[in-house]
Amino acid sequence: MNDYNFFDVAIEASALKFGEFTLKSGRISPYFFNAGLFNHGKTLHQLAECYAAKLIESKVQFDVLFGPAYKGISLAALVTSILYSRYGKDVGFCYNRKEKKDHGEGGVLVGADIKDKKVLIIDDVITAGTAIKEAIEVIKSHGGTIEGVCVALDRQEVAPNEEISAVQMVEKAYQFPVYAIGNLSDLIGYLKVKGQIEHELIERMKAYQLKYSVV
Ligand code: OMP
C-alpha cells in the first residue's frame, strides 16, 4: 500500500535533477539523484513510504534494517518506523559510525545487535557498487547475515570492466537480491508519459542508457 510515486516525490524534493552531471565514475550523466535533498518532513516521509512499500512487496524477511553512514542512517530510521506504523512489522535499526569511537560505549555499530541476525541494507543509489561493498564488509565482520539491499534508484550502469550492471554484480558476488524502488528504465518510461518534458531530454536519457546501461 503506497500512495506515492517515487519519481514525483524525487522531483518535488529536487532530489532528481536533469542537466549535465559528472559522476564519481567520471561519466557525464544527463540526470543525477541526490538523496540528501530529501530534507523536509513531507518528502522524507513520502520517500520512506516508497521504501517500506518496496520491502513489503519484495516479501524479504529480516530482523534488522541497516543504514550505512551517513545518508542511510535517517533512511533506515524512517523506514523502520513506517514498517511498524503502517504494516505492523517491528524490526531493529542499526547503523555504522564512519569514525571509530574509542571512549564511551565504543564500537563501529550503533543500534540493534546484528550478530546472527538477518540484515537488510538500505541505501540511496547504486552506480558502481563501491559504497555498498563497504557496508557489506562491516555487517559481515559483525556476524550479521545479509538478506538483501534496498536502494531508491538503480542506475543500471555497467560495472567497470564488466558486461553486467553493478547491481547484478553485487547480486552475483554476494548471492542476495538488490531491490530498487525505481531504475533508469522506469525513469525513462515515467518521463515519456509525464508530458511537459522536452523531447530532447528523453533522447539524451535514452542515449545515456544505450551507452552505459545494462537492461
Ligand atoms: P557507487 O558507490 O559507485 O555505487 O555510487 C554511489 C554513489 O554515487 C553515491 O553514494 C553518490 O556519492 C554518487 N551518486 C549519486 O548520489 N547519485 C547519482 O545519481 C549518481 C552518483 C554517482 O556519482 O554515480
Short mmCIF file of all heavy atoms in Angstrom, two decimals, residues 15-16 22-27 29 31-35 71 123-133 153 155 157 166 208, ligand 1:
data_model
loop_
_atom_site.label_atom_id
_atom_site.label_comp_id
_atom_site.label_asym_id
_atom_site.label_seq_id
_atom_site.Cartn_x
_atom_site.Cartn_y
_atom_site.Cartn_z
N ALA A 15 15.42 16.31 -5.66
CA ALA A 15 16.45 15.28 -5.48
C ALA A 15 16.80 14.63 -6.82
O ALA A 15 17.86 14.03 -6.96
CB ALA A 15 15.96 14.22 -4.49
N LEU A 16 15.90 14.75 -7.76
CA LEU A 16 16.16 14.23 -9.11
C LEU A 16 16.27 15.42 -10.04
O LEU A 16 15.32 16.20 -10.18
CB LEU A 16 15.00 13.33 -9.53
CG LEU A 16 15.18 12.49 -10.78
CD1 LEU A 16 16.43 11.62 -10.72
CD2 LEU A 16 13.96 11.60 -10.99
N THR A 22 28.77 15.27 -13.64
CA THR A 22 29.91 14.34 -13.66
C THR A 22 29.78 13.40 -12.46
O THR A 22 29.69 13.85 -11.32
CB THR A 22 31.24 15.11 -13.59
OG1 THR A 22 31.25 16.05 -14.66
CG2 THR A 22 32.43 14.18 -13.74
N LEU A 23 29.75 12.13 -12.72
CA LEU A 23 29.59 11.13 -11.66
C LEU A 23 30.93 10.77 -11.04
O LEU A 23 31.98 11.10 -11.58
CB LEU A 23 28.95 9.86 -12.22
CG LEU A 23 27.60 10.03 -12.91
CD1 LEU A 23 27.06 8.66 -13.28
CD2 LEU A 23 26.62 10.77 -12.02
N LYS A 24 30.84 10.05 -9.91
CA LYS A 24 32.03 9.53 -9.24
C LYS A 24 32.90 8.76 -10.23
O LYS A 24 34.13 8.80 -10.17
CB LYS A 24 31.54 8.58 -8.13
CG LYS A 24 32.37 8.58 -6.89
CD LYS A 24 31.57 8.05 -5.71
CE LYS A 24 31.65 6.54 -5.60
NZ LYS A 24 31.03 6.01 -4.38
N SER A 25 32.26 8.07 -11.16
CA SER A 25 32.97 7.26 -12.16
C SER A 25 33.61 8.10 -13.26
O SER A 25 34.34 7.57 -14.09
CB SER A 25 31.96 6.31 -12.82
OG SER A 25 30.94 7.09 -13.44
N GLY A 26 33.27 9.40 -13.31
CA GLY A 26 33.76 10.25 -14.40
C GLY A 26 32.79 10.33 -15.57
O GLY A 26 32.96 11.15 -16.48
N ARG A 27 31.77 9.47 -15.56
CA ARG A 27 30.78 9.51 -16.64
C ARG A 27 29.96 10.80 -16.56
O ARG A 27 29.67 11.28 -15.46
CB ARG A 27 29.82 8.31 -16.54
CG ARG A 27 30.54 7.01 -16.83
CD ARG A 27 29.64 5.80 -16.57
NE ARG A 27 30.43 4.58 -16.74
CZ ARG A 27 30.02 3.36 -16.40
NH1 ARG A 27 28.82 3.17 -15.89
NH2 ARG A 27 30.80 2.31 -16.60
N SER A 29 26.54 12.38 -16.95
CA SER A 29 25.16 11.87 -16.94
C SER A 29 24.15 12.99 -17.14
O SER A 29 24.31 14.08 -16.60
CB SER A 29 24.92 11.20 -15.57
OG SER A 29 23.55 10.96 -15.38
N TYR A 31 21.30 13.03 -15.86
CA TYR A 31 20.46 13.14 -14.66
C TYR A 31 21.27 12.79 -13.43
O TYR A 31 22.30 12.12 -13.52
CB TYR A 31 19.22 12.22 -14.78
CG TYR A 31 19.52 10.76 -14.57
CD1 TYR A 31 19.16 10.12 -13.38
CD2 TYR A 31 20.17 10.01 -15.55
CE1 TYR A 31 19.43 8.77 -13.18
CE2 TYR A 31 20.44 8.66 -15.34
CZ TYR A 31 20.08 8.05 -14.16
OH TYR A 31 20.35 6.72 -13.95
N PHE A 32 20.82 13.27 -12.29
CA PHE A 32 21.51 12.99 -11.04
C PHE A 32 20.49 12.87 -9.93
O PHE A 32 19.54 13.65 -9.87
CB PHE A 32 22.52 14.10 -10.70
CG PHE A 32 23.48 13.70 -9.61
CD1 PHE A 32 24.60 12.94 -9.90
CD2 PHE A 32 23.24 14.07 -8.29
CE1 PHE A 32 25.48 12.55 -8.89
CE2 PHE A 32 24.12 13.69 -7.28
CZ PHE A 32 25.24 12.92 -7.58
N PHE A 33 20.70 11.89 -9.07
CA PHE A 33 19.81 11.68 -7.94
C PHE A 33 20.57 12.02 -6.67
O PHE A 33 21.58 11.39 -6.37
CB PHE A 33 19.35 10.22 -7.93
CG PHE A 33 18.47 9.88 -6.77
CD1 PHE A 33 17.19 10.44 -6.66
CD2 PHE A 33 18.88 9.00 -5.78
CE1 PHE A 33 16.36 10.13 -5.59
CE2 PHE A 33 18.06 8.69 -4.71
CZ PHE A 33 16.79 9.26 -4.63
N ASN A 34 20.11 13.04 -5.96
CA ASN A 34 20.77 13.45 -4.71
C ASN A 34 19.82 13.26 -3.54
O ASN A 34 18.98 14.12 -3.24
CB ASN A 34 21.21 14.92 -4.82
CG ASN A 34 21.94 15.38 -3.57
OD1 ASN A 34 22.02 14.65 -2.58
ND2 ASN A 34 22.46 16.59 -3.62
N ALA A 35 19.98 12.13 -2.86
CA ALA A 35 19.04 11.79 -1.77
C ALA A 35 19.16 12.75 -0.60
O ALA A 35 18.23 12.85 0.21
CB ALA A 35 19.28 10.35 -1.31
N LYS A 71 24.02 8.89 4.74
CA LYS A 71 22.66 9.04 4.20
C LYS A 71 21.74 7.90 4.58
O LYS A 71 20.54 8.09 4.72
CB LYS A 71 22.69 9.20 2.68
CG LYS A 71 23.10 10.60 2.24
CD LYS A 71 23.08 10.73 0.74
CE LYS A 71 23.77 12.01 0.30
NZ LYS A 71 24.19 11.96 -1.10
N ASP A 123 19.94 1.90 1.23
CA ASP A 123 20.84 2.97 0.78
C ASP A 123 20.16 3.79 -0.30
O ASP A 123 19.07 3.44 -0.74
CB ASP A 123 22.16 2.36 0.30
CG ASP A 123 23.34 3.31 0.53
OD1 ASP A 123 23.11 4.48 0.90
OD2 ASP A 123 24.49 2.88 0.33
N ASP A 124 20.84 4.86 -0.75
CA ASP A 124 20.19 5.75 -1.70
C ASP A 124 20.31 5.29 -3.15
O ASP A 124 19.32 5.11 -3.84
CB ASP A 124 20.67 7.20 -1.52
CG ASP A 124 22.19 7.35 -1.55
OD1 ASP A 124 22.90 6.33 -1.61
OD2 ASP A 124 22.66 8.50 -1.48
N VAL A 125 21.56 5.11 -3.61
CA VAL A 125 21.73 4.82 -5.04
C VAL A 125 22.92 3.90 -5.25
O VAL A 125 23.89 3.95 -4.49
CB VAL A 125 21.90 6.16 -5.83
CG1 VAL A 125 23.06 6.96 -5.32
CG2 VAL A 125 22.05 5.94 -7.32
N ILE A 126 22.82 3.04 -6.25
CA ILE A 126 23.98 2.22 -6.63
C ILE A 126 24.36 2.61 -8.05
O ILE A 126 23.53 2.58 -8.95
CB ILE A 126 23.66 0.71 -6.58
CG1 ILE A 126 23.54 0.24 -5.12
CG2 ILE A 126 24.75 -0.10 -7.29
CD1 ILE A 126 23.36 -1.26 -4.96
N THR A 127 25.63 3.01 -8.22
CA THR A 127 26.13 3.26 -9.58
C THR A 127 27.11 2.14 -9.90
O THR A 127 26.83 1.25 -10.70
CB THR A 127 26.81 4.64 -9.70
OG1 THR A 127 25.89 5.65 -9.33
CG2 THR A 127 27.23 4.89 -11.14
N ALA A 128 28.28 2.18 -9.24
CA ALA A 128 29.28 1.14 -9.48
C ALA A 128 29.34 0.12 -8.36
O ALA A 128 30.00 -0.90 -8.46
CB ALA A 128 30.64 1.78 -9.68
N GLY A 129 28.67 0.41 -7.25
CA GLY A 129 28.61 -0.55 -6.15
C GLY A 129 29.70 -0.41 -5.11
O GLY A 129 29.80 -1.22 -4.18
N THR A 130 30.52 0.64 -5.21
CA THR A 130 31.63 0.81 -4.27
C THR A 130 31.14 1.04 -2.84
O THR A 130 31.62 0.39 -1.90
CB THR A 130 32.49 2.04 -4.69
OG1 THR A 130 32.50 2.10 -6.11
CG2 THR A 130 33.88 1.96 -4.15
N ALA A 131 30.19 1.96 -2.69
CA ALA A 131 29.72 2.33 -1.35
C ALA A 131 29.07 1.13 -0.64
O ALA A 131 29.30 0.89 0.55
CB ALA A 131 28.74 3.49 -1.46
N ILE A 132 28.30 0.36 -1.39
CA ILE A 132 27.56 -0.74 -0.77
C ILE A 132 28.50 -1.85 -0.29
O ILE A 132 28.24 -2.51 0.71
CB ILE A 132 26.47 -1.26 -1.75
CG1 ILE A 132 25.28 -1.77 -0.98
CG2 ILE A 132 26.96 -2.30 -2.71
CD1 ILE A 132 24.42 -0.72 -0.38
N LYS A 133 29.61 -2.01 -0.99
CA LYS A 133 30.55 -3.08 -0.61
C LYS A 133 31.12 -2.83 0.78
O LYS A 133 31.34 -3.76 1.55
CB LYS A 133 31.69 -3.18 -1.63
CG LYS A 133 31.26 -3.93 -2.87
CD LYS A 133 32.37 -4.05 -3.87
CE LYS A 133 31.80 -4.46 -5.23
NZ LYS A 133 32.60 -4.03 -6.35
N LEU A 153 17.24 4.20 -6.11
CA LEU A 153 17.44 4.22 -7.56
C LEU A 153 18.57 3.30 -7.99
O LEU A 153 19.68 3.40 -7.49
CB LEU A 153 17.77 5.67 -7.99
CG LEU A 153 17.93 5.89 -9.48
CD1 LEU A 153 16.59 5.73 -10.21
CD2 LEU A 153 18.50 7.27 -9.77
N ARG A 155 20.73 2.81 -11.10
CA ARG A 155 21.05 3.50 -12.36
C ARG A 155 21.30 2.50 -13.49
O ARG A 155 21.48 2.91 -14.63
CB ARG A 155 22.26 4.41 -12.15
CG ARG A 155 22.00 5.57 -11.16
CD ARG A 155 23.20 6.50 -11.07
NE ARG A 155 23.62 6.95 -12.36
CZ ARG A 155 23.39 8.18 -12.86
NH1 ARG A 155 22.78 9.09 -12.14
NH2 ARG A 155 23.81 8.49 -14.07
N GLU A 157 23.81 0.86 -14.37
CA GLU A 157 25.02 1.10 -15.16
C GLU A 157 25.97 -0.08 -15.13
O GLU A 157 26.12 -0.75 -14.12
CB GLU A 157 25.74 2.36 -14.66
CG GLU A 157 24.88 3.56 -14.95
CD GLU A 157 25.59 4.88 -14.81
OE1 GLU A 157 26.83 4.95 -14.91
OE2 GLU A 157 24.87 5.87 -14.63
N ALA A 166 26.28 -3.01 -12.11
CA ALA A 166 26.83 -3.05 -10.75
C ALA A 166 25.90 -3.82 -9.83
O ALA A 166 26.35 -4.60 -8.98
CB ALA A 166 27.06 -1.64 -10.26
N TYR A 208 22.16 7.89 -23.11
CA TYR A 208 22.99 7.53 -21.95
C TYR A 208 22.74 6.07 -21.59
O TYR A 208 23.67 5.30 -21.32
CB TYR A 208 22.65 8.45 -20.77
CG TYR A 208 23.56 8.25 -19.60
CD1 TYR A 208 24.82 8.85 -19.57
CD2 TYR A 208 23.19 7.45 -18.52
CE1 TYR A 208 25.68 8.66 -18.49
CE2 TYR A 208 24.04 7.25 -17.45
CZ TYR A 208 25.29 7.86 -17.43
OH TYR A 208 26.13 7.67 -16.37
P1 OMP B 1 28.71 3.74 -6.15
O1 OMP B 1 29.45 3.79 -4.84
O2 OMP B 1 29.63 3.80 -7.34
O3 OMP B 1 27.70 2.63 -6.25
O4 OMP B 1 27.90 5.08 -6.31
C1 OMP B 1 27.06 5.55 -5.31
C2 OMP B 1 27.45 6.96 -5.03
O5 OMP B 1 27.45 7.72 -6.25
C3 OMP B 1 26.52 7.73 -4.16
O6 OMP B 1 26.72 7.47 -2.81
C4 OMP B 1 26.84 9.18 -4.59
O7 OMP B 1 28.01 9.65 -4.00
C5 OMP B 1 27.06 9.09 -6.07
N1 OMP B 1 25.90 9.35 -6.98
C6 OMP B 1 24.67 9.80 -6.53
O8 OMP B 1 24.45 10.08 -5.37
N2 OMP B 1 23.63 9.93 -7.42
C7 OMP B 1 23.73 9.67 -8.74
O9 OMP B 1 22.75 9.81 -9.50
C8 OMP B 1 24.99 9.21 -9.20
C9 OMP B 1 26.08 9.08 -8.33
C10 OMP B 1 27.39 8.75 -8.87
O10 OMP B 1 28.33 9.56 -8.70
O11 OMP B 1 27.48 7.73 -9.58
#
